[in-house]
């Protein structure tokens, strides 16, 4: 089987995952799934970039060792990617000892081939950017950040980048596909037309890095270390070279100039292709911590689903160009294309097969043609062509044209009329044709919408996974007649604009607070803490405390207690056979709807007590503030129902 190896950048661990990182990882996941459906044996790797002064400082700020800090943030990336269900084969951390050995090997090979020399360098250094600022003079500030520069003289190892100028030009000129899109290639060629300065690849000003062999006090410059993660990730499987590095446009020079030069110097194979996509902007601004406009992926996933984000990013923004991210545009896209488009075609088609044909896909009558065959063939050819070129929005547009054609055909043929008129053959032809078109659209959209297309596939009656299908064989008329379909389920329920946006904003606040804690920043208090000088209760021992059985419960039902403006009657699942009935005095602050689905803390072994005629079997834990209003306790992370608190 042909092999294909692709990578995402390895992400810095001084920030928690946001939609920028998610964007590249989604694209990687889509390409992996597409290539698999083309019959390739695919490996997709990502990872975390964990060395350097910025990360060392972030760890210090968080009051943690760099080891503990980088592990916590790397785990956060992993956990996020797991929730999104990305088909990742390996997450390479640069703090992995195997990686250090591999970077040292690259250094030794470059050294042995004469491309590394020792020198000393005096320059003006930007601590924030961890780089010398070329041509800076005394008193200058960092042009990017405005921070003062430090004058530093370092004994460094230098990489003879200058020796590779001609070879790099030849690489880009002879392989126009090596760096895509074209605009990036032109920028790099323009850069290569100027003189190339040698590159200092070791540092003595930092400790948090990979040690240079036989040179105590020197660690590698982060990019000499980071780029090698692509190689380390597959070193044991012998998968190098990479077929594709997916990156954002701001790191093109490192990938298209430095990286091939390092590999040429060591005599190792070069990656085959680099694709640089554009930036996601938020309110037309670059996302940044200082602007406070960072969008996190998890709230979107929880409110709308992973597929909704995947679809929106790849359909709305031309891959390669910059694009704006906005919640309202995402909900609009979702409703227009997913709920009313693919989702509606699926539920219409499947419901009619249920209703008119007892849930069995009818056979195409002998003399019937496949009226949507050309649409299927065109969409297939266009989608494959687009996937090959990473033109995702074009590909999706072609698939949605097929969906549109199927919708139009339904309206024209009006199967409900055929049913009434008992035109059985014609009805079979129409139902078969639309289900077959749904099958083709589902398959073609599978790399972008893995969760929902798997569901439609199952609803079409398939027992085999959709991922086992191959694009090369896709044609009209392949839907097996006589296949029984299960009861219809909604695929993309319509979403209301404002409540969905509100939900995402709410979840975003919680997620931000959780990530701030992780990165060691003190989260801003949501309501000012005012203990109100309440005297402490008398001291207890741990034995006293364990007598209180506190459990995680989830609210399954909630309604106001009639005749009371304070009490809420709830049924709360704490992992027992039946949810508990619990009455709590929180109704002035919490609507019944806002409690539904919420995870709360329950005192589970409190003696039952009747409130307004309802027997309450437990108590909800809540903070009571000076104004007497309760705030229900909850969790920032997901916890299983029934877990005990101690
Ligand atoms: N650690 C380096 C990369 C080393 S690769 C050997 C790095 N890390 S990063 O955390 O800053 O991630 C940068 C990458 O994340 C970008 O190249 C891009 O893939 C993705 N994005 C981060 N922010 C982004 C946007 N706002 N928009 C689109 N992608 C962005 O650079």
């Amino acid at each position: 089987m042909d092999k294909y190896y692709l990578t995402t950048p390895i992400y810095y661990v001084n920030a928690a995952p946001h939609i920028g990182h998610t964007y590249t990882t989604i694209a990687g996941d889509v390409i992996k799934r597409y290539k698999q459906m083309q019959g390739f044996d695919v490996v997709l790797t990502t990872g975390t970039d964990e060395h350097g002064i910025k990360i060392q400082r972030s760890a210090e700020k968080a009051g943690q060792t760099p080891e503990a800090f980088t592990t916590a943030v790397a785990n956060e990336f992993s956990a996020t990617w797991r929730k999104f269900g990305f088909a990742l084969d390996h997450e390479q951390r640069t703090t992995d000892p195997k990686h250090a050995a591999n970077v040292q090997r690259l250094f030794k090979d470059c050294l042995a081939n004469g491309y590394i020399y020792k020198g000393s360098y005096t320059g003006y250094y930007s601590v924030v950017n961890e780089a010398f600022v070329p041509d800076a003079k005394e008193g200058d500030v960092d042009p990017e950040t405005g921070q003062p520069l430090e004058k530093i003289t370092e004994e460094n190892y230098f990489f003879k980048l200058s020796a590779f100028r001609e070879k790099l030009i030849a690489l880009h000129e002879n392989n126009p596909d090596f760096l895509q899109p074209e605009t990036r290639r032109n920028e790099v060629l323009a850069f290569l037309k100027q003189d190339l300065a040698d590159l200092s690849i070791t540092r003595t000003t930092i400790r948090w890095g990979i040690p240079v062999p036989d040179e105590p006090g020197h660690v590698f410059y982060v990019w000499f270390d980071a780029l090698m993660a692509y190689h380390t990730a597959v070193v044991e499987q012998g998968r190098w070279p990479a077929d594709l590095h997916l990156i954002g446009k701001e790191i093109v020079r490192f990938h298209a100039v430095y990286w091939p030069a390092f590999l040429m110097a060591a005599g190792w194979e070069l990656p085959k292709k680099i694709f640089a996509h554009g930036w996601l902007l938020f309110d037309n601004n670059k996302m940044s911590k200082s602007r406070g406009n960072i969008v996190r992926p998890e709230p979107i996933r929880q409110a709308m689903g992973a597929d909704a984000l995947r679809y929106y990013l790849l359909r709305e923004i031309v891959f390669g160009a910059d694009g704006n991210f906005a919640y309202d545009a995402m909900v609009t896209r979702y409703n227009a294309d997913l709920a009313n488009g693919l989702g509606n075609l699926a539920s219409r088609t499947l419901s009619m097969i249920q209703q008119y044909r007892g849930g069995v896909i009818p056979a195409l009558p002998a003399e019937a043609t496949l009226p949507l065959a050309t649409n299927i063939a065109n969409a297939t050819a266009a989608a494959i062509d687009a996937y090959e070129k990473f033109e995702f929005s074009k590909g999706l547009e072609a698939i949605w044209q097929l969906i549109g054609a199927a919708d139009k055909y339904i309206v024209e043929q009006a199967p409900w009329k055929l049913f009434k008129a008992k035109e059985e053959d014609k009805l079979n032809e129409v139902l078969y044709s639309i289900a077959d078109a749904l099958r083709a659209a589902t398959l073609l959209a599978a790399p972008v919408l893995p969760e929902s297309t798997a569901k439609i596939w199952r609803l079409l009656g398939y027992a085999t996974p959709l991922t086992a299908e191959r694009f090369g064989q896709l044609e009209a008329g392949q839907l097996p007649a006589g296949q029984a379909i299960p009861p219809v389920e909604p695929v993309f329920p319509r979403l209301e604009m404002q409540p969905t946006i509100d939900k995402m904003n709410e979840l975003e606040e919680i997620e931000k607070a959780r990530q701030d804690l992780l990165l060691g920043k003190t989260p801003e208090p949501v309501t000012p803490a005012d203990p109100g000088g309440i005297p402490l209760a008398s001291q207890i021992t741990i034995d006293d405390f364990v007598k209180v059985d506190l459990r995680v419960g989830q609210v399954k039902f909630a309604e106001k207690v009639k005749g009371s403006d304070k009490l809420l009657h709830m049924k709360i699942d704490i992992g027992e056979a039946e949810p508990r009935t619990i009455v709590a005095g929180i109704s002035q602050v919490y609507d019944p709807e806002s409690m539904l689905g919420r995870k709360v803390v329950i005192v589970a072994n409190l003696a039952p007590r009747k409130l307004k005629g309802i027997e309450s079997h437990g108590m909800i834990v809540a903070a009571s503030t000076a104004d007497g209003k309760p705030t229900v306790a909850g969790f920032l992370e997901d916890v299983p129902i029934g877990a005990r608190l101690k």
Side-chain angles (χ1 to χ4, degrees), residues 8-12 18-21 23-24 49 77 223 226-228 230 246-251 255 277-281 286-287:
T8 78
I10 56 163
Y11 304 112
Y12 286 132
H18 57 61
I19 52 160
H21 309 121
Y23 183 43
T24 321
D49 194 350
F77 272 93
W223 279 98
L227 289 157
M228 268 301 279
Y230 299 140
L246 272 182
I247 59 170
K249 68 177 184 184
E250 79 290 356
I251 52 178
H255 284 78
H277 64 67
W279 276 340
L280 286 186
L281 307 172
K286 203 175 169 210
M287 279 192 291

mmCIF file of all heavy atoms in Angstrom, residues 8-12 18-21 23-24 49 77 223 226-228 230 246-251 255 277-281 286-287, ligand 1:
data_model
loop_
_atom_site.group_PDB
_atom_site.id
_atom_site.type_symbol
_atom_site.label_atom_id
_atom_site.label_comp_id
_atom_site.label_asym_id
_atom_site.label_seq_id
_atom_site.Cartn_x
_atom_site.Cartn_y
_atom_site.Cartn_z
ATOM 1 N N THR A 8 1.308 18.360 11.292
ATOM 2 C CA THR A 8 0.911 19.727 11.634
ATOM 3 C C THR A 8 2.142 20.345 12.300
ATOM 4 O O THR A 8 3.059 19.613 12.679
ATOM 5 C CB THR A 8 -0.251 19.773 12.639
ATOM 6 O OG1 THR A 8 0.273 19.500 13.948
ATOM 7 C CG2 THR A 8 -1.337 18.775 12.302
ATOM 8 N N PRO A 9 2.167 21.658 12.496
ATOM 9 C CA PRO A 9 3.272 22.212 13.288
ATOM 10 C C PRO A 9 3.208 21.621 14.695
ATOM 11 O O PRO A 9 2.176 21.090 15.106
ATOM 12 C CB PRO A 9 2.968 23.715 13.338
ATOM 13 C CG PRO A 9 2.011 23.977 12.237
ATOM 14 C CD PRO A 9 1.229 22.720 12.057
ATOM 15 N N ILE A 10 4.292 21.715 15.405
ATOM 16 C CA ILE A 10 4.218 21.362 16.827
ATOM 17 C C ILE A 10 3.989 22.686 17.554
ATOM 18 O O ILE A 10 4.649 23.683 17.291
ATOM 19 C CB ILE A 10 5.471 20.597 17.304
ATOM 20 C CG1 ILE A 10 6.748 21.377 17.018
ATOM 21 C CG2 ILE A 10 5.521 19.215 16.654
ATOM 22 C CD1 ILE A 10 7.924 20.868 17.815
ATOM 23 N N TYR A 11 3.013 22.689 18.443
ATOM 24 C CA TYR A 11 2.523 23.947 19.002
ATOM 25 C C TYR A 11 3.279 24.337 20.272
ATOM 26 O O TYR A 11 3.620 23.479 21.088
ATOM 27 C CB TYR A 11 1.026 23.829 19.286
ATOM 28 C CG TYR A 11 0.254 23.429 18.039
ATOM 29 C CD1 TYR A 11 -0.366 22.188 17.940
ATOM 30 C CD2 TYR A 11 0.192 24.297 16.939
ATOM 31 C CE1 TYR A 11 -1.046 21.821 16.782
ATOM 32 C CE2 TYR A 11 -0.491 23.933 15.781
ATOM 33 C CZ TYR A 11 -1.102 22.693 15.705
ATOM 34 O OH TYR A 11 -1.767 22.325 14.561
ATOM 35 N N TYR A 12 3.516 25.625 20.418
ATOM 36 C CA TYR A 12 4.161 26.133 21.633
ATOM 37 C C TYR A 12 3.262 25.876 22.834
ATOM 38 O O TYR A 12 2.038 26.081 22.742
ATOM 39 C CB TYR A 12 4.389 27.645 21.527
ATOM 40 C CG TYR A 12 5.504 28.055 20.603
ATOM 41 C CD1 TYR A 12 5.312 29.052 19.652
ATOM 42 C CD2 TYR A 12 6.765 27.476 20.705
ATOM 43 C CE1 TYR A 12 6.344 29.442 18.811
ATOM 44 C CE2 TYR A 12 7.802 27.867 19.859
ATOM 45 C CZ TYR A 12 7.579 28.842 18.923
ATOM 46 O OH TYR A 12 8.594 29.236 18.096
ATOM 47 N N HIS A 18 -6.129 26.888 20.912
ATOM 48 C CA HIS A 18 -7.230 27.754 20.475
ATOM 49 C C HIS A 18 -7.617 27.371 19.053
ATOM 50 O O HIS A 18 -7.056 26.411 18.499
ATOM 51 C CB HIS A 18 -6.867 29.226 20.614
ATOM 52 C CG HIS A 18 -5.636 29.661 19.888
ATOM 53 N ND1 HIS A 18 -5.503 29.568 18.526
ATOM 54 C CD2 HIS A 18 -4.463 30.183 20.332
ATOM 55 C CE1 HIS A 18 -4.323 30.026 18.162
ATOM 56 N NE2 HIS A 18 -3.663 30.395 19.239
ATOM 57 N N ILE A 19 -8.570 28.106 18.451
ATOM 58 C CA ILE A 19 -9.050 27.627 17.149
ATOM 59 C C ILE A 19 -8.002 27.747 16.046
ATOM 60 O O ILE A 19 -8.123 27.069 15.038
ATOM 61 C CB ILE A 19 -10.372 28.265 16.661
ATOM 62 C CG1 ILE A 19 -10.293 29.759 16.714
ATOM 63 C CG2 ILE A 19 -11.575 27.692 17.368
ATOM 64 C CD1 ILE A 19 -11.342 30.382 15.822
ATOM 65 N N GLY A 20 -6.982 28.598 16.236
ATOM 66 C CA GLY A 20 -5.901 28.651 15.244
ATOM 67 C C GLY A 20 -5.198 27.302 15.158
ATOM 68 O O GLY A 20 -5.018 26.742 14.075
ATOM 69 N N HIS A 21 -4.803 26.776 16.312
ATOM 70 C CA HIS A 21 -4.165 25.450 16.325
ATOM 71 C C HIS A 21 -5.126 24.383 15.802
ATOM 72 O O HIS A 21 -4.738 23.463 15.093
ATOM 73 C CB HIS A 21 -3.761 25.039 17.749
ATOM 74 C CG HIS A 21 -2.962 26.063 18.497
ATOM 75 N ND1 HIS A 21 -3.379 26.603 19.688
ATOM 76 C CD2 HIS A 21 -1.780 26.649 18.212
ATOM 77 C CE1 HIS A 21 -2.480 27.468 20.111
ATOM 78 N NE2 HIS A 21 -1.502 27.517 19.232
ATOM 79 N N TYR A 23 -7.507 24.726 13.705
ATOM 80 C CA TYR A 23 -7.682 24.875 12.254
ATOM 81 C C TYR A 23 -6.683 23.993 11.501
ATOM 82 O O TYR A 23 -7.055 23.190 10.649
ATOM 83 C CB TYR A 23 -7.472 26.348 11.921
ATOM 84 C CG TYR A 23 -7.663 26.769 10.476
ATOM 85 C CD1 TYR A 23 -8.722 26.301 9.715
ATOM 86 C CD2 TYR A 23 -6.782 27.692 9.898
ATOM 87 C CE1 TYR A 23 -8.895 26.735 8.402
ATOM 88 C CE2 TYR A 23 -6.952 28.132 8.598
ATOM 89 C CZ TYR A 23 -8.004 27.645 7.853
ATOM 90 O OH TYR A 23 -8.178 28.082 6.569
ATOM 91 N N THR A 24 -5.402 24.139 11.830
ATOM 92 C CA THR A 24 -4.387 23.344 11.129
ATOM 93 C C THR A 24 -4.591 21.854 11.399
ATOM 94 O O THR A 24 -4.437 21.023 10.506
ATOM 95 C CB THR A 24 -2.967 23.728 11.605
ATOM 96 O OG1 THR A 24 -2.911 25.130 11.795
ATOM 97 C CG2 THR A 24 -1.926 23.288 10.616
ATOM 98 N N ASP A 49 5.927 22.057 21.128
ATOM 99 C CA ASP A 49 7.242 22.694 21.070
ATOM 100 C C ASP A 49 7.483 23.252 22.472
ATOM 101 O O ASP A 49 6.815 24.205 22.868
ATOM 102 C CB ASP A 49 7.150 23.805 20.010
ATOM 103 C CG ASP A 49 8.489 24.334 19.581
ATOM 104 O OD1 ASP A 49 9.497 23.998 20.227
ATOM 105 O OD2 ASP A 49 8.526 25.109 18.598
ATOM 106 N N PHE A 77 -3.323 19.873 25.199
ATOM 107 C CA PHE A 77 -3.443 19.736 23.743
ATOM 108 C C PHE A 77 -3.986 18.344 23.405
ATOM 109 O O PHE A 77 -4.951 18.218 22.652
ATOM 110 C CB PHE A 77 -2.086 19.962 23.053
ATOM 111 C CG PHE A 77 -1.814 21.412 22.735
ATOM 112 C CD1 PHE A 77 -1.124 22.228 23.616
ATOM 113 C CD2 PHE A 77 -2.265 21.958 21.530
ATOM 114 C CE1 PHE A 77 -0.890 23.567 23.319
ATOM 115 C CE2 PHE A 77 -2.023 23.294 21.226
ATOM 116 C CZ PHE A 77 -1.334 24.103 22.121
ATOM 117 N N TRP A 223 14.391 26.536 16.967
ATOM 118 C CA TRP A 223 13.947 26.034 15.659
ATOM 119 C C TRP A 223 14.794 24.867 15.164
ATOM 120 O O TRP A 223 14.294 24.009 14.435
ATOM 121 C CB TRP A 223 13.895 27.158 14.622
ATOM 122 C CG TRP A 223 12.636 27.960 14.761
ATOM 123 C CD1 TRP A 223 12.490 29.144 15.420
ATOM 124 C CD2 TRP A 223 11.332 27.614 14.276
ATOM 125 N NE1 TRP A 223 11.184 29.560 15.370
ATOM 126 C CE2 TRP A 223 10.449 28.636 14.671
ATOM 127 C CE3 TRP A 223 10.817 26.538 13.544
ATOM 128 C CZ2 TRP A 223 9.093 28.630 14.357
ATOM 129 C CZ3 TRP A 223 9.463 26.526 13.233
ATOM 130 C CH2 TRP A 223 8.620 27.565 13.641
ATOM 131 N N ALA A 226 12.983 22.280 17.122
ATOM 132 C CA ALA A 226 11.555 22.052 16.831
ATOM 133 C C ALA A 226 11.316 21.341 15.503
ATOM 134 O O ALA A 226 10.520 20.400 15.426
ATOM 135 C CB ALA A 226 10.813 23.387 16.830
ATOM 136 N N LEU A 227 11.990 21.806 14.451
ATOM 137 C CA LEU A 227 11.713 21.232 13.129
ATOM 138 C C LEU A 227 11.996 19.732 13.100
ATOM 139 O O LEU A 227 11.324 18.963 12.418
ATOM 140 C CB LEU A 227 12.559 21.957 12.072
ATOM 141 C CG LEU A 227 12.097 23.388 11.791
ATOM 142 C CD1 LEU A 227 13.222 24.230 11.205
ATOM 143 C CD2 LEU A 227 10.895 23.386 10.838
ATOM 144 N N MET A 228 12.983 19.333 13.896
ATOM 145 C CA MET A 228 13.352 17.920 13.912
ATOM 146 C C MET A 228 12.258 17.025 14.486
ATOM 147 O O MET A 228 12.297 15.799 14.326
ATOM 148 C CB MET A 228 14.639 17.723 14.713
ATOM 149 C CG MET A 228 15.880 17.770 13.861
ATOM 150 S SD MET A 228 15.866 16.504 12.581
ATOM 151 C CE MET A 228 16.408 15.107 13.560
ATOM 152 N N TYR A 230 9.425 16.602 13.422
ATOM 153 C CA TYR A 230 8.773 15.909 12.306
ATOM 154 C C TYR A 230 9.489 14.596 11.991
ATOM 155 O O TYR A 230 8.876 13.634 11.552
ATOM 156 C CB TYR A 230 8.814 16.777 11.045
ATOM 157 C CG TYR A 230 8.105 18.106 11.150
ATOM 158 C CD1 TYR A 230 8.658 19.259 10.583
ATOM 159 C CD2 TYR A 230 6.864 18.211 11.775
ATOM 160 C CE1 TYR A 230 8.002 20.475 10.643
ATOM 161 C CE2 TYR A 230 6.200 19.434 11.835
ATOM 162 C CZ TYR A 230 6.780 20.568 11.268
ATOM 163 O OH TYR A 230 6.123 21.768 11.318
ATOM 164 N N LEU A 246 1.979 20.705 6.923
ATOM 165 C CA LEU A 246 0.953 21.747 6.928
ATOM 166 C C LEU A 246 1.369 22.788 7.953
ATOM 167 O O LEU A 246 1.651 22.428 9.106
ATOM 168 C CB LEU A 246 -0.361 21.172 7.419
ATOM 169 C CG LEU A 246 -1.323 20.530 6.454
ATOM 170 C CD1 LEU A 246 -2.553 20.091 7.226
ATOM 171 C CD2 LEU A 246 -1.719 21.490 5.340
ATOM 172 N N ILE A 247 1.368 24.043 7.567
ATOM 173 C CA ILE A 247 1.791 25.089 8.508
ATOM 174 C C ILE A 247 0.950 26.345 8.307
ATOM 175 O O ILE A 247 0.249 26.480 7.305
ATOM 176 C CB ILE A 247 3.293 25.456 8.327
ATOM 177 C CG1 ILE A 247 3.556 25.953 6.895
ATOM 178 C CG2 ILE A 247 4.183 24.279 8.668
ATOM 179 C CD1 ILE A 247 4.938 26.560 6.708
ATOM 180 N N GLY A 248 1.083 27.286 9.238
ATOM 181 C CA GLY A 248 0.507 28.611 9.052
ATOM 182 C C GLY A 248 1.535 29.484 8.338
ATOM 183 O O GLY A 248 2.737 29.217 8.385
ATOM 184 N N LYS A 249 1.063 30.548 7.705
ATOM 185 C CA LYS A 249 1.936 31.321 6.810
ATOM 186 C C LYS A 249 3.085 32.028 7.530
ATOM 187 O O LYS A 249 4.067 32.404 6.901
ATOM 188 C CB LYS A 249 1.096 32.331 6.030
ATOM 189 C CG LYS A 249 0.518 33.442 6.893
ATOM 190 C CD LYS A 249 -0.233 34.458 6.054
ATOM 191 C CE LYS A 249 -0.702 35.585 6.952
ATOM 192 N NZ LYS A 249 -1.517 36.580 6.244
ATOM 193 N N GLU A 250 2.957 32.211 8.868
ATOM 194 C CA GLU A 250 3.995 32.977 9.567
ATOM 195 C C GLU A 250 5.268 32.162 9.811
ATOM 196 O O GLU A 250 6.285 32.732 10.214
ATOM 197 C CB GLU A 250 3.436 33.525 10.894
ATOM 198 C CG GLU A 250 3.364 32.541 12.054
ATOM 199 C CD GLU A 250 2.318 31.441 11.898
ATOM 200 O OE1 GLU A 250 1.563 31.459 10.912
ATOM 201 O OE2 GLU A 250 2.282 30.553 12.757
ATOM 202 N N ILE A 251 5.223 30.866 9.544
ATOM 203 C CA ILE A 251 6.433 30.076 9.799
ATOM 204 C C ILE A 251 6.984 29.459 8.509
ATOM 205 O O ILE A 251 7.676 28.450 8.533
ATOM 206 C CB ILE A 251 6.205 29.014 10.907
ATOM 207 C CG1 ILE A 251 4.969 28.147 10.637
ATOM 208 C CG2 ILE A 251 6.062 29.685 12.264
ATOM 209 C CD1 ILE A 251 4.745 27.052 11.700
ATOM 210 N N HIS A 255 10.374 26.747 7.570
ATOM 211 C CA HIS A 255 10.117 25.452 6.924
ATOM 212 C C HIS A 255 10.670 25.361 5.504
ATOM 213 O O HIS A 255 11.053 24.289 5.071
ATOM 214 C CB HIS A 255 8.607 25.185 6.888
ATOM 215 C CG HIS A 255 8.067 24.768 8.213
ATOM 216 N ND1 HIS A 255 7.825 25.657 9.226
ATOM 217 C CD2 HIS A 255 7.770 23.539 8.717
ATOM 218 C CE1 HIS A 255 7.379 25.001 10.285
ATOM 219 N NE2 HIS A 255 7.334 23.717 10.005
ATOM 220 N N HIS A 277 -1.153 27.695 5.184
ATOM 221 C CA HIS A 277 -2.482 28.311 5.124
ATOM 222 C C HIS A 277 -2.441 29.700 5.756
ATOM 223 O O HIS A 277 -1.442 30.108 6.346
ATOM 224 C CB HIS A 277 -3.530 27.418 5.794
ATOM 225 C CG HIS A 277 -3.309 27.210 7.264
ATOM 226 N ND1 HIS A 277 -3.427 28.217 8.185
ATOM 227 C CD2 HIS A 277 -2.974 26.101 7.959
ATOM 228 C CE1 HIS A 277 -3.174 27.741 9.383
ATOM 229 N NE2 HIS A 277 -2.887 26.460 9.279
ATOM 230 N N GLY A 278 -3.556 30.405 5.645
ATOM 231 C CA GLY A 278 -3.602 31.781 6.145
ATOM 232 C C GLY A 278 -3.979 31.847 7.613
ATOM 233 O O GLY A 278 -4.057 30.824 8.299
ATOM 234 N N TRP A 279 -4.229 33.039 8.064
ATOM 235 C CA TRP A 279 -4.583 33.244 9.464
ATOM 236 C C TRP A 279 -6.073 33.328 9.657
ATOM 237 O O TRP A 279 -6.792 33.907 8.830
ATOM 238 C CB TRP A 279 -3.979 34.553 9.962
ATOM 239 C CG TRP A 279 -2.570 34.399 10.412
ATOM 240 C CD1 TRP A 279 -1.939 33.230 10.771
ATOM 241 C CD2 TRP A 279 -1.616 35.437 10.530
ATOM 242 N NE1 TRP A 279 -0.650 33.492 11.112
ATOM 243 C CE2 TRP A 279 -0.426 34.835 10.977
ATOM 244 C CE3 TRP A 279 -1.658 36.808 10.318
ATOM 245 C CZ2 TRP A 279 0.723 35.574 11.218
ATOM 246 C CZ3 TRP A 279 -0.519 37.540 10.547
ATOM 247 C CH2 TRP A 279 0.651 36.925 10.997
ATOM 248 N N LEU A 280 -6.498 32.810 10.780
ATOM 249 C CA LEU A 280 -7.871 33.029 11.204
ATOM 250 C C LEU A 280 -7.863 34.312 12.005
ATOM 251 O O LEU A 280 -7.083 34.458 12.952
ATOM 252 C CB LEU A 280 -8.319 31.925 12.160
ATOM 253 C CG LEU A 280 -8.634 30.553 11.626
ATOM 254 C CD1 LEU A 280 -9.189 29.721 12.761
ATOM 255 C CD2 LEU A 280 -9.647 30.662 10.512
ATOM 256 N N LEU A 281 -8.722 35.224 11.614
ATOM 257 C CA LEU A 281 -8.820 36.476 12.353
ATOM 258 C C LEU A 281 -10.113 36.440 13.146
ATOM 259 O O LEU A 281 -11.049 35.729 12.791
ATOM 260 C CB LEU A 281 -8.829 37.651 11.381
ATOM 261 C CG LEU A 281 -7.669 37.660 10.382
ATOM 262 C CD1 LEU A 281 -7.859 38.743 9.341
ATOM 263 C CD2 LEU A 281 -6.342 37.851 11.116
ATOM 264 N N LYS A 286 -5.971 39.881 14.423
ATOM 265 C CA LYS A 286 -5.231 38.671 14.751
ATOM 266 C C LYS A 286 -5.591 38.285 16.187
ATOM 267 O O LYS A 286 -5.714 39.147 17.044
ATOM 268 C CB LYS A 286 -3.733 38.954 14.623
ATOM 269 C CG LYS A 286 -2.986 37.671 14.405
ATOM 270 C CD LYS A 286 -1.519 37.835 14.147
ATOM 271 C CE LYS A 286 -0.937 36.439 14.241
ATOM 272 N NZ LYS A 286 0.418 36.413 14.700
ATOM 273 N N MET A 287 -5.772 37.004 16.412
ATOM 274 C CA MET A 287 -6.066 36.582 17.784
ATOM 275 C C MET A 287 -4.812 36.740 18.624
ATOM 276 O O MET A 287 -3.730 36.356 18.197
ATOM 277 C CB MET A 287 -6.455 35.105 17.801
ATOM 278 C CG MET A 287 -7.883 34.855 17.427
ATOM 279 S SD MET A 287 -8.335 33.177 17.791
ATOM 280 C CE MET A 287 -7.371 32.311 16.592
HETATM 281 N N1 LIG B 1 6.197 26.013 17.648
HETATM 282 C C1 LIG B 1 6.104 26.720 16.435
HETATM 283 C C2 LIG B 1 6.019 25.776 15.253
HETATM 284 C C3 LIG B 1 7.138 24.788 15.168
HETATM 285 S S1 LIG B 1 6.904 23.671 13.884
HETATM 286 C C4 LIG B 1 8.307 22.824 13.796
HETATM 287 C C5 LIG B 1 4.858 27.586 16.448
HETATM 288 N N2 LIG B 1 3.904 27.240 17.313
HETATM 289 S S2 LIG B 1 2.501 27.976 17.526
HETATM 290 O O1 LIG B 1 1.892 27.411 18.689
HETATM 291 O O2 LIG B 1 2.664 29.377 17.494
HETATM 292 O O3 LIG B 1 1.611 27.475 16.361
HETATM 293 C C6 LIG B 1 1.691 28.044 15.145
HETATM 294 C C7 LIG B 1 0.741 27.342 14.201
HETATM 295 O O4 LIG B 1 -0.579 27.242 14.746
HETATM 296 C C8 LIG B 1 0.568 28.132 12.943
HETATM 297 O O5 LIG B 1 1.618 27.877 12.031
HETATM 298 C C9 LIG B 1 -0.757 27.648 12.479
HETATM 299 O O6 LIG B 1 -0.608 26.378 11.934
HETATM 300 C C10 LIG B 1 -1.530 27.561 13.773
HETATM 301 N N3 LIG B 1 -2.112 28.846 14.149
HETATM 302 C C11 LIG B 1 -1.931 29.524 15.309
HETATM 303 N N4 LIG B 1 -2.685 30.652 15.291
HETATM 304 C C12 LIG B 1 -3.355 30.720 14.147
HETATM 305 C C13 LIG B 1 -4.329 31.579 13.621
HETATM 306 N N5 LIG B 1 -4.745 32.653 14.240
HETATM 307 N N6 LIG B 1 -4.844 31.272 12.417
HETATM 308 C C14 LIG B 1 -4.487 30.152 11.723
HETATM 309 N N7 LIG B 1 -3.579 29.324 12.201
HETATM 310 C C15 LIG B 1 -2.924 29.615 13.349
HETATM 311 O O7 LIG B 1 4.807 28.507 15.672
#
